[in-house]
Amino acid sequence: MSIRAKVFTIIFVLFASLGVADFFVQRFVVYPSFLELEEHEAGQNLQRIFHAIDRENYHLERICRDWATWDDTYDFITTRSEIYKTSNLYDEALDSISVNVMIYCAEDGTIVWSNARDTVQKNALPLELLKEGRIAPGHPLLTMTAEEDGVNGVINTERDPLLFATRRILRSDGSGPSNGFLIVGRFVNPAMVEILSAQTRIPFEIVYPYVEERMACGTSGVTTAHIDNLDYFTKKDGKFVRVCSAYNDPTGRPIFGIQYLFPRDITQKGIASIRYAMVLVISSGLIVLVMLNVLLQAVILRPLQKLTSHASRLRQEEDYAQRLDLRRSDEVGVLADSFDNMVQTIRERTEDLKRANEQLTLLSMRDGLTGIPNRRMFDDSLKQEWRRAMRDKTPVSIIMGDVDFFKNYNDAHGHLQGDQCLIAVAAVLQQQMNRPADLVARFGGEEFAIILADTGADGAGHVAQTLRQAVMDLHLEHGHSDAAPCVTMSFGVASMVPQPEDGDEGMAELLRRADRAMYQSKRLGRNRVVAWSDEQPESPSL
């Protein structure tokens, strides 16, 4: 009998027993607990939504308290000061604190000043509440006892439900008597719902005005639930549980409904994973480990231990020349042979990959058109030379060169001929480099950059003149150049001795100087070399 058959027979008998036990545990213990947990989690999510709305109301209450307990506001109710209006009651002020409605009332409810705005669209909103110019003393916005300094909650409007906070207007030190009321409000609109959904990570929606028949849970087949002081309804709908509740005003009357879909599969998978891990690890783990360790030690465990040790040694030492050489005629022997072949293949592929990576790295450092180093290699080389010069306190020079009137050359001769021109220029620049550390790179477009290590400004200027002449000696015809009848280049030279306090930021300054010197050479007529000086103009005009 093969090893597979032996293992299958043993495991089948053991796990058949485990399967029966697992069924009873899941059916009569875990599943009812899951249903209870599912309902509880649905209620907790709903609580998070209510708390998020309550936080908005609390935020409004804080804003209202800050504005109402203020000497300037206290005086404004009496004086109607225009300075107060222009300094505080402009549209942007409301937008900045995300307040849709702000109302200043006298003690008798007469509206002293009001504004209703859409803070998203930045426009005024008509509001029925403000049309009469007065808020009745019995209105929910002003319903508070003599001992209370304020009230907050939610009311109906013709647009959306309005979260509000009302405070008595007092002096900055909190003293009275009250000089009126300040009311601030924020609409529970789709924009707010979207923000709160993102905060709670629960995509919910509101039903306004509140009608039970319009709620997703409906009126039939629902389950009433309760968590803390919140009553809600649930209704199973396939893979989801519909969760619904009502948000009440300060009198306990429903203003708008809140509903969302609670995905059942997420909780089910979590409970199933816990159940499987607990039952399988505890029950089958003990049984399987004891029995299989006794019955299969000679058949499977020792060969597998040898195979595992070999794999661990390969992982630690990464010596793919080692071979297991386990001579067996069963499946373990076939596995060992396959493992040896795989290790051999890995060794070959690793070597191939190493060579390919070296080629890829080389290609990534070369410009695809000219074959000389590209900007990436230039930056890496400059960083190395900069840090070496910083240690040795030696100068580093940069030469920036630009082909004169190259756009005109392209327009006249075509882009293919333009590419050939760049190839020729790159080749002749490369030929002028006499030291291994010197580097010519294509900086971008028709611009080239040269790094000269341990070279001062005079030496770099001499090299730049040599490069300029070498390009002219190519005698590439250029009938559309104002500098010469052939292709020429303008060069800018800059040199610095890196200081420790410069850090790597000094490289950018060196490049900037070379670039400005190059543009100065173009401004002066092109086909020339200009070295950086402190008198260099900031923005050269061409």
Side-chain angles (χ1 to χ4, degrees):
M1 182 182 291
S2 66
I3 252 189
R4 181 176 178 274
K6 295 174 185 177
V7 173
F8 177 82
T9 302
I10 297 171
I11 293 179
F12 175 82
V13 174
L14 294 174
F15 281 87
S17 302
L18 290 174
V20 175
D22 179 76
F23 171 80
F24 283 97
V25 171
Q26 179 177 346
R27 178 65 181 84
F28 297 106
V29 178
V30 175
Y31 187 69
S33 300
F34 159 72
L35 294 178
E36 182 179 347
L37 179 61
E38 181 181 75
E39 185 174 89
H40 182 73
E41 288 187 2
Q44 285 186 323
N45 284 350
L46 189 62
Q47 273 189 322
R48 289 167 56 193
I49 298 173
F50 273 74
H51 290 164
I53 298 175
D54 291 341
R55 282 196 303 270
E56 293 297 315
N57 219 333
Y58 173 72
H59 180 64
L60 283 176
E61 196 275 334
R62 290 186 60 188
I63 293 174
C64 188
R65 184 174 65 249
D66 290 341
W67 283 63
T69 311
W70 187 16
D71 290 340
D72 290 356
T73 302
Y74 192 93
D75 295 335
F76 170 69
I77 298 299
T78 303
T79 64
R80 311 295 199 268
S81 169
E82 291 296 326
I83 296 177
Y84 180 92
K85 292 181 183 180
T86 56
S87 301
N88 303 285
L89 304 181
Y90 51 93
D91 292 338
E92 289 78 9
L94 297 185
D95 294 344
S96 66
I97 58 176
S98 300
V99 169
N100 296 112
V101 177
M102 180 174 279
I103 306 171
Y104 288 78
C105 294
E107 281 292 311
D108 62 354
T110 302
I111 297 177
V112 175
W113 183 90
S114 65
N115 194 359
R117 282 180 57 77
D118 185 335
T119 58
V120 177
Q121 300 297 328
K122 310 298 184 185
N123 58 344
L125 297 176
L127 201 59
E128 194 70 28
L129 177 68
L130 306 177
K131 288 185 178 179
E132 295 183 4
R134 184 174 183 274
I135 299 177
H139 194 280
L141 292 174
L142 301 180
T143 302
M144 65 184 79
T145 64
E147 293 77 22
E148 292 179 323
D149 289 332
V151 64
N152 56 45
V154 60
I155 61 170
N156 285 314
T157 71
E158 68 273 23
R159 300 183 60 84
D160 297 297
L162 179 70
L163 294 176
F164 75 90
T166 303
R167 298 287 297 184
R168 297 185 189 275
I169 296 177
L170 304 171
R171 294 186 177 89
S172 297
D173 60 1
S175 62
S178 170
N179 199 25
F181 305 92
L182 174 62
I183 304 168
V184 294
R186 185 176 299 166
F187 287 116
V188 185
N189 52 24
M192 177 185 284
V193 170
E194 184 177 354
I195 293 173
L196 296 182
S197 295
Q199 291 177 356
T200 59
R201 298 184 180 180
I202 303 172
F204 70 95
E205 59 183 5
I206 66 170
V207 177
Y208 182 77
Y210 176 77
V211 179
E212 286 188 359
E213 288 75 14
R214 292 179 57 197
M215 299 292 287
C217 296
T219 57
S220 62
V222 300
T223 301
T224 302
H226 182 84
I227 181 170
D228 295 337
N229 60 347
L230 176 64
D231 295 321
Y232 61 99
F233 304 93
T234 62
K235 184 177 182 180
K236 295 178 177 60
D237 184 9
K239 295 182 178 180
F240 297 90
V241 175
R242 299 182 182 273
V243 186
C244 308
S245 187
Y247 196 91
N248 300 330
D249 65 8
T251 65
R253 184 169 57 92
I255 295 293
F256 59 88
I258 298 175
Q259 58 189 23
Y260 79 99
L261 293 178
F262 178 78
R264 303 183 67 191
D265 58 331
I266 297 176
T267 308
Q268 286 176 327
K269 289 179 181 178
I271 295 298
S273 298
I274 295 173
R275 182 267 308 164
Y276 183 83
M278 181 181 63
V279 176
L280 186 61
V281 170
I282 295 177
S283 302
S284 67
L286 293 175
I287 297 173
V288 171
L289 286 177
V290 172
M291 297 188 66
L292 289 185
N293 185 58
V294 175
L295 298 175
L296 304 179
Q297 181 70 29
V299 181
I300 296 176
L301 296 181
R302 286 197 185 97
L304 289 182
Q305 184 178 8
K306 185 176 181 181
L307 182 60
T308 302
S309 299
H310 180 66
S312 299
R313 189 165 56 255
L314 287 176
R315 182 185 61 187
Q316 295 172 0
E317 300 176 4
E318 296 185 358
D319 181 9
Y320 297 110
Q322 301 181 40
R323 295 293 179 268
L324 182 60
D325 196 24
L326 184 63
R327 301 184 181 277
R328 289 174 60 108
S329 58
D330 56 16
E331 286 85 345
V332 175
V334 174
L335 178 62
D337 291 339
S338 300
F339 190 83
D340 284 342
N341 292 334
M342 181 184 66
V343 170
Q344 177 63 27
T345 302
I346 291 175
R347 180 184 181 185
E348 296 172 355
R349 295 293 185 271
T350 301
E351 293 176 354
D352 293 342
L353 183 61
K354 182 178 180 180
R355 289 192 292 270
N357 283 337
E358 291 173 353
Q359 291 294 326
L360 183 61
T361 301
L362 181 61
L363 290 174
S364 68
M365 294 291 188
R366 294 285 173 179
D367 178 57
L369 175 65
T370 62
I372 65 174
N374 59 13
R375 176 66 182 274
R376 176 182 174 186
M377 187 171 181
F378 174 86
D379 292 340
D380 291 345
S381 299
L382 178 57
K383 183 179 293 186
Q384 294 176 5
E385 294 300 336
W386 181 265
R387 292 177 178 176
R388 182 182 295 113
M390 187 180 296
R391 292 193 303 269
D392 299 341
K393 296 181 170 40
T394 56
V396 176
S397 295
I398 295 291
I399 302 174
M400 297 288 290
D402 184 82
V403 179
D404 295 327
F405 300 103
F406 187 71
K407 182 180 183 302
N408 296 347
Y409 188 91
N410 264 346
D411 293 343
H413 300 282
H415 287 282
L416 292 178
Q417 189 63 32
D419 289 346
Q420 293 301 317
C421 172
L422 292 178
I423 293 172
V425 168
V428 76
L429 293 180
Q430 184 71 49
Q431 291 170 4
Q432 305 307 311
M433 298 297 103
N434 298 321
R435 300 183 303 178
D438 296 341
L439 180 104
V440 177
R442 187 180 181 191
F443 202 72
E446 64 271 21
E447 289 189 4
F448 296 85
I450 298 95
I451 302 174
L452 300 176
D454 196 14
T455 303
D458 293 340
H462 176 74
V463 172
Q465 289 289 0
T466 302
L467 296 176
R468 185 190 67 82
Q469 185 62 46
V471 172
M472 289 190 64
D473 291 344
L474 289 173
H475 300 298
L476 298 176
E477 182 180 353
H478 191 352
H480 297 270
S481 171
D482 295 340
C486 62
V487 171
T488 60
M489 288 186 68
S490 300
F491 292 93
V493 178
S495 182
M496 289 179 64
V497 177
Q499 301 299 321
E501 60 269 16
D502 294 338
D504 289 346
E505 289 75 12
M507 294 186 292
E509 175 61 20
L510 179 59
L511 281 171
R512 186 182 70 85
R513 292 182 179 185
D515 185 67
R516 286 176 55 189
M518 180 189 70
Y519 275 96
Q520 177 70 356
S521 71
K522 297 170 74 68
R523 190 182 71 84
L524 295 176
R526 294 180 169 84
N527 190 24
R528 65 189 64 236
V529 175
V530 171
W532 158 263
S533 67
D534 291 334
E535 291 76 22
Q536 214 78 13
E538 284 293 333
S539 301
S541 57
L542 301 178

